[in-house]
Amino acid sequence: MAEHRHPDLHTDMLIDGAPVPAAGRAVRATVDPATGGVIAEVPEATAADVDAAVAAAARAFGSDAWGGLLPAARARLLLRLADLLEADAEAFAALETTDQGQPLAVSAGFSVPNAVEHLRYYAGWVTKITGVTAPLSVPDVDYRTRREPLGVCALITPWNFPLMILVWKLAPALAAGNTVVVKPAEQTPLTTLRLAALVREAGFPDGVVNVVTGGPEVGRALVAHPDVAKVSFTGSTEVGREIAAGAGRDLKRVSLELGGKAPSIITADADIDAAVAGNLMGGLLNSGQVCAAYTRFYVDAARHDEFAEKLAAGAASMKLGHGLDGATRLGPLVSAEQRDRAEEYVRIGREEGAHLHDRAPLEDGDGYFVRPAVFSGVTDGMRIAREEIFGPVLSVLPYDDPDELAARANDSRYGLAAVIWSRDIGTANRLAARVRAGTVWINMPPMLDAAAAWGGMKDSGLGREMGWSAIEAFTQVKSIWTSLA
Ligand code: NAD
């Protein structure tokens, strides 16, 4: 396996403002999924590391250096971090591509700029987190509310968009005045560790941001820690359920962004070429490793074959390769495990009797590549139409009765996102109201914006990120009564 070492790698954890190197500790390798080569080894945090990180965050929360900081100064720290990240954007994008696999067009064009924008957006909120006054029916009192931070927040992130999803949590948590302990996914820790170095450079007081690396055990220790006030988690529904159960027992606050199986509805009057282009983008962004990926396509029976053939041809024409190669449209999956899982679903789809459109052959290599697989003639009960695959496997299902569309789209345990393609804006909006999903896009590929609430219904999660919703999720309301008598 080729060694692919990135220049200027940061592999130290961050606890109480000090770098914690791997030297003398258990380590875990992180690999370039396009080659299988080891990029770096990062520390496997121990229970003592988790305790130290939470203790540092708790001290920082109660300190004048952070708790006493004026809002405008807290906003400036976030803005400084945004500037540092922007100045280092190229290196961050290359590192994300090397560790995660996403093409540079995704890392440089989306992940890193989105993270920068999130930091700036939440810097703006810092000075606008207001309470209310209310006209109580009690004589001689003044009443007002304050919105206060929660305390130490554990931020646990997945491997598909490591930097961006971290910042979706970090920016509002800090804007609201919390302190944090971050645990990145074990497959993709490197951009998080590089950001930790920038946190120090930006001048955040010691202990405000701590980063511990390692596997599920480290996450479990954080979730169970009695001094953690809130867990914000993005990842699988199964782990989310386990976290919510623990948080329920301990009465911790919890936000969960979990899996999805987004339906894409293509009505008879839709612009098929626009729908094909938008669905290729929505279905194959980051090789389908997107919780909101468009994965089950309900197409009017009259246009089913045309749509499926065009979708399959478009998918087959996308260039697979190392994400650092500018011509690459599809990178590898993040790990051998995810590659095998996606190929297993291709096998399942064939066995279930769906029609698999031609896939270009895969060249030999060590990377975890999967050619997109487009199935047509899929029926509602097939596993490929029901289960989250998190890879480039797309299912096209015909429909005859438009009145059944909402019910078929909603026949899923998930409810993260949905998309509707129709030239009739009334039809599209009526459907949008009936689809049970946290986000519905109409005639467009998936988009995100710091100002647009993001999160799931049903098994796709609890709570919303982005916009004011994230500030609410990282604060609590205090009522203050004053006697005027
Ligand atoms: P995962 O849920 O296993 O892991 C996510 C994070 O949680 C990692 O940092 C992991 O180390 C940690 N973790 C694992 N077990 C834990 C536990 N018991 N307690 C605390 N932390 C724990 O997810 P995965 O296997 O890395 O990803 C696969 C699935 O995650 C996908 O199929 C998809 O459903 C989901 N996913 C969703 C999103 C999203 O944005 N909604 C993003 C990525 C992945």
Side-chain angles (χ1 to χ4, degrees):
M1 285 200 297
E3 286 276 308
H4 187 123
R5 292 205 177 269
H6 203 270
D8 193 20
L9 271 179
H10 295 261
T11 57
D12 297 343
M13 301 194 295
L14 178 65
I15 298 179
D16 204 10
V20 179
R25 316 168 142 264
V27 292
R28 185 191 284 260
T30 179
V31 302
D32 177 346
T35 65
V38 171
I39 314 166
E41 288 178 332
V42 305
E44 185 74 13
T46 60
D49 292 327
V50 171
D51 282 346
V54 174
R59 274 195 307 278
F61 184 70
S63 71
D64 280 351
W66 180 245
L69 208 57
L70 294 176
R74 202 158 78 231
R76 275 198 300 276
L77 284 173
L78 283 166
L79 290 172
R80 203 173 303 149
L81 184 58
D83 289 346
L84 289 170
L85 177 57
E86 188 169 54
D88 201 22
E90 253 181 62
F92 267 91
L95 188 59
E96 196 76 309
T97 289
T98 311
D99 203 19
Q100 201 281 327
Q102 57 191 247
L104 265 186
V106 177
S107 59
F110 176 53
S111 303
V112 179
N114 183 284
V116 172
E117 283 313 311
H118 256 77
L119 287 164
R120 294 200 173 124
Y121 175 82
Y122 281 103
W125 269 117
V126 177
T127 49
K128 298 160 196 74
I129 303 175
T130 54
V132 298
T133 61
L136 304 192
S137 299
V138 175
D140 289 332
V141 295
D142 176 70
Y143 172 81
R144 66 191 169 92
T145 65
R146 276 164 57 82
R147 210 164 247 290
E148 298 188 344
L150 300 168
V152 178
C153 299
L155 313 182
I156 302 178
T157 56
W159 44 255
N160 60 339
F161 287 96
L163 175 75
M164 187 175 80
I165 291 179
L166 165 61
V167 173
W168 292 355
K169 301 177 186 311
L170 184 71
L174 297 178
N178 299 280
T179 59
V180 305
V181 180
V182 177
K183 196 209 79 71
E186 55 274 30
Q187 298 87 347
T188 54
L190 295 178
T191 47
T192 299
L193 294 172
R194 193 175 181 97
L195 191 72
L198 293 192
V199 163
R200 295 184 72 204
E201 198 178 330
F204 281 87
D206 292 351
V208 170
V209 178
N210 305 273
V211 179
V212 290
T213 46
E217 279 315 308
V218 181
R220 273 199 194 94
L222 260 178
V223 171
H225 200 293
D227 294 337
V228 167
K230 168 170 178 127
V231 181
S232 178
F233 169 81
T234 299
S236 61
T237 295
E238 288 62 36
V239 173
R241 216 181 280 288
E242 185 184 328
I243 288 175
R249 190 185 52 233
D250 299 341
L251 293 179
K252 291 188 166 91
R253 275 55 179 164
V254 66
S255 298
L256 304 172
E257 299 288 340
L258 309 176
K261 185 79 183 174
S264 176
I265 295 172
I266 296 119
T267 63
D269 73 338
D271 175 341
I272 286 288
D273 291 329
V276 167
N279 280 305
L280 277 175
M281 204 179 200
L284 297 178
L285 174 70
N286 202 8
S287 298
Q289 301 169 111
V290 178
C291 47
Y294 300 173
T295 53
R296 43 187 178 116
F297 306 90
Y298 298 88
V299 191
D300 186 279
R303 314 207 63 180
H304 167 272
D305 292 354
E306 176 194 0
F307 176 82
E309 278 155 25
K310 286 183 169 171
L311 192 74
S317 73
M318 291 171 86
K319 185 177 165 0
L320 228 67
H322 198 297
L324 291 178
D325 177 346
T328 293
R329 298 271 313 277
L330 290 174
L333 297 202
V334 75
S335 62
E337 186 189 347
Q338 289 300 120
R339 175 199 56 197
D340 295 348
R341 190 178 137 84
E343 289 294 358
E344 173 65 7
Y345 273 102
V346 177
R347 195 191 59 72
I348 291 169
R350 298 171 86 147
E351 225 174 71
E352 288 179 313
H355 171 66
L356 176 61
H357 289 252
D358 283 345
R359 294 165 93 195
L362 201 58
E363 287 160 28
D364 282 345
D366 292 324
Y368 313 134
F369 291 96
V370 175
R371 280 269 174 214
V374 174
F375 284 101
S376 60
V378 176
T379 55
D380 294 14
M382 290 183 185
R383 287 181 62 192
I384 53 170
R386 306 197 68 78
E387 297 175 16
E388 185 184 44
I389 299 173
F390 234 63
V393 182
L394 309 179
S395 297
V396 185
L397 303 87
Y399 75 81
D400 292 312
D401 182 358
D403 291 339
E404 288 177 357
L405 272 175
R408 288 179 70 187
N410 289 340
D411 180 20
S412 168
R413 58 191 282 230
Y414 297 113
L416 186 61
V419 57
I420 296 157
W421 303 86
S422 175
R423 284 198 170 99
D424 179 342
I425 219 64
T427 299
N429 277 282
R430 273 191 299 278
L431 263 172
R434 293 176 62 199
V435 170
R436 302 261 298 145
T439 293
V440 181
W441 290 286
I442 297 176
N443 292 330
M444 60 186 288
M447 296 263 179
L448 292 162
D449 188 282
W454 176 248
M457 296 184 182
K458 300 192 276 185
D459 283 7
S460 289
L462 290 179
R464 295 289 179 271
E465 299 193 294
M466 305 188 199
W468 167 250
S469 304
I471 296 291
E472 271 186 333
F474 279 107
T475 53
Q476 53 198 340
V477 173
K478 177 184 281 177
S479 287
I480 299 182
W481 298 55
T482 304
S483 166
L484 302 179

